[in-house]
Amino acid sequence: MSKLEKFLRGRFAAALVAILVGFAVAAVVLTAAGFNPAASFAALFQGALGKPKYIANVIIKATPILLTGVGVAFAFQTGLFNIGAEGQYILGTIIATIVGVKCNFPAIIQVPLVVLSGVAGGALLGAFIGFLKAKFGIHEVITSIMTNWIMLYLCNFVVSTETFHKPNSTSALPVNPSSFTMILPNWKKSEAGKAFLANIPWLREVMLKTDVNFGFLIAVLVAVFAGFLLSRTKLGYELRAVGYNKDAARFSGISVDRSIVLCMLISGSFCGLAGALNITGISPHTIGTLAAMEGYGFNGLSVAFIAGCSTVGCIPASLLFAGLIYGGMTVQQVMGAPSDIINIMIGTIVFFIALPGVTPLLADMLAKKRKEQESIRVSKDGTPLPEKEV
């Protein structure tokens, strides 16, 4: 087997081919709409990577997508389809906001309290979905979709209450500043901070013009932890065993019902963490009235599929996804092309990722062609050589 054939049978090849096809489809759509594909893609990359603040904003935008993607990927590897990541994310933002508004402890207590409250919200919702699956056999996709909408309207209800509503706005009160997970939020606005940053232009741009925070670092650690938990621990083995074959897992003494609830609890906690970190790390540090889903959970679903449901693979996949979304705004501003073209590209990438047989089929075609070429090789006297001597 050649190196190319081995590469095409790998998981990375499927993602790479899907990405290339996505760009090709976007180029066709741009051309048909009368836009220059090369110039549009140049604007896309410029908008995502052209300035330090653009890169910082891409990383910030990737944080919740990475965490919800890890949540979806974790559940998928254990045989569950957590399409309710959106609702778990929203509940994480709600609980984090409520706790952040009502409590005002020193940051060393306040930050863990607010963040862990959001984690608990997502975890409890995930566990509830898992309980319905384990106890009554209700499919998690159905309950997940329903809880997504319930959480959306719960968010709007909390925003409208007298206790949390911010006057003359469509949002709730922001959490107390002691809840913030931004990097040196007070120092960078002080005279000493401004004087120091004045000597480092790129750092000044990142610190003063973006809500740079610790969220992405936490998300990366969570992705690595989730991968370790699944592949290197007894608990991960039990969860994966239930996903592969419930009957065999039950026969071996594993509690299937407990594993289902626990898996959804862990998955939901990752999504709740995404919501909490968005509240503590990004302005305006509160929730607002939602007319539609924010999309972080559904984008996480796409990231999980692009990553082949590898929790660690969600890290580069989330950066790619965030770069396309953030850079897509520049395409619209510079070229006048609709941002829907980026959605078409992302949809195409996910579609081809969902076709796992494409790259192995290419590998099979190459192998067949190679064997045909070997079969027609002949010795010097014209007699075909045995295959093993070729």
Side-chain angles (χ1 to χ4, degrees), residues 20-215:
L20 293 176
V21 172
F23 273 92
V25 170
V28 172
V29 174
L30 285 166
T31 302
F35 299 100
N36 186 329
S40 298
F41 292 150
L44 172 66
F45 289 111
Q46 177 66 23
L49 305 172
K51 294 182 179 180
K53 68 175 182 179
Y54 295 165
I55 298 173
N57 281 326
V58 167
I59 293 173
I60 292 169
K61 197 172 190 65
T63 301
I65 303 175
L66 169 55
L67 286 168
T68 54
V70 170
V72 173
F74 186 93
F76 197 85
Q77 288 198 44
T78 60
L80 296 170
F81 191 14
N82 184 14
I83 201 172
E86 183 75 20
Q88 293 147 25
Y89 164 85
I90 294 174
L91 184 57
T93 64
I94 295 171
I95 302 300
T97 299
I98 291 174
V99 174
V101 170
K102 286 297 184 182
C103 300
N104 191 18
F105 300 108
I108 193 172
I109 299 174
Q110 180 80 355
V111 170
L113 179 63
V114 174
V115 172
L116 291 177
S117 66
V119 172
L124 289 175
L125 182 56
F128 174 69
I129 294 170
F131 172 77
L132 294 178
K133 166 90 169 183
K135 187 69 175 179
F136 304 106
I138 304 175
H139 201 285
E140 68 274 11
V141 169
I142 296 174
T143 50
S144 292
I145 292 173
M146 294 176 68
T147 54
N148 284 343
W149 288 102
I150 293 172
M151 292 305 107
L152 182 145
Y153 291 115
L154 177 62
C155 177
N156 292 348
F157 169 76
V158 171
V159 171
S160 66
T161 59
E162 184 177 350
T163 304
F164 295 102
H165 181 69
K166 182 179 180 181
N168 302 318
S169 73
T170 58
S171 63
L173 294 168
V175 297
N176 288 302
S178 58
S179 309
F180 294 174
T181 55
M182 299 162 66
I183 297 177
L184 302 174
N186 296 323
W187 174 82
K188 67 182 183 181
K189 294 179 181 179
S190 66
E191 293 301 324
K194 291 179 180 178
F196 177 82
L197 294 173
N199 300 319
I200 312 175
W202 70 267
L203 185 59
R204 179 179 182 276
E205 184 178 11
V206 169
M207 293 293 289
L208 296 181
K209 296 185 179 181
T210 71
D211 288 330
V212 62
N213 57 70
F214 294 101

Side-chain angles (χ1 to χ4, degrees), residues 343-368:
N343 295 330
I344 293 173
M345 181 189 298
I346 293 172
T348 304
I349 292 172
V350 175
F351 175 78
F352 276 90
I353 285 290
L355 298 176
V358 173
T359 50
L361 179 62
L362 293 175
D364 291 340
M365 293 173 61
L366 289 174
K368 182 179 179 181

Side-chain angles (χ1 to χ4, degrees), residues 325-388:
I325 295 174
Y326 190 78
M329 295 186 293
T330 304
V331 176
Q332 187 175 24
Q333 294 169 358
V334 175
M335 303 298 298
S339 59
D340 291 338
I341 291 177
I342 301 300
N343 295 330
I344 293 173
M345 181 189 298
I346 293 172
T348 304
I349 292 172
V350 175
F351 175 78
F352 276 90
I353 285 290
L355 298 176
V358 173
T359 50
L361 179 62
L362 293 175
D364 291 340
M365 293 173 61
L366 289 174
K368 182 179 179 181
K369 184 177 181 181
R370 176 174 54 80
K371 289 180 179 179
E372 289 177 350
Q373 290 176 344
E374 290 178 350
S375 66
I376 62 174
R377 292 182 182 178
V378 294
S379 61
K380 294 181 180 180
D381 60 357
T383 304
L385 291 172
E387 186 176 346
K388 65 179 181 180

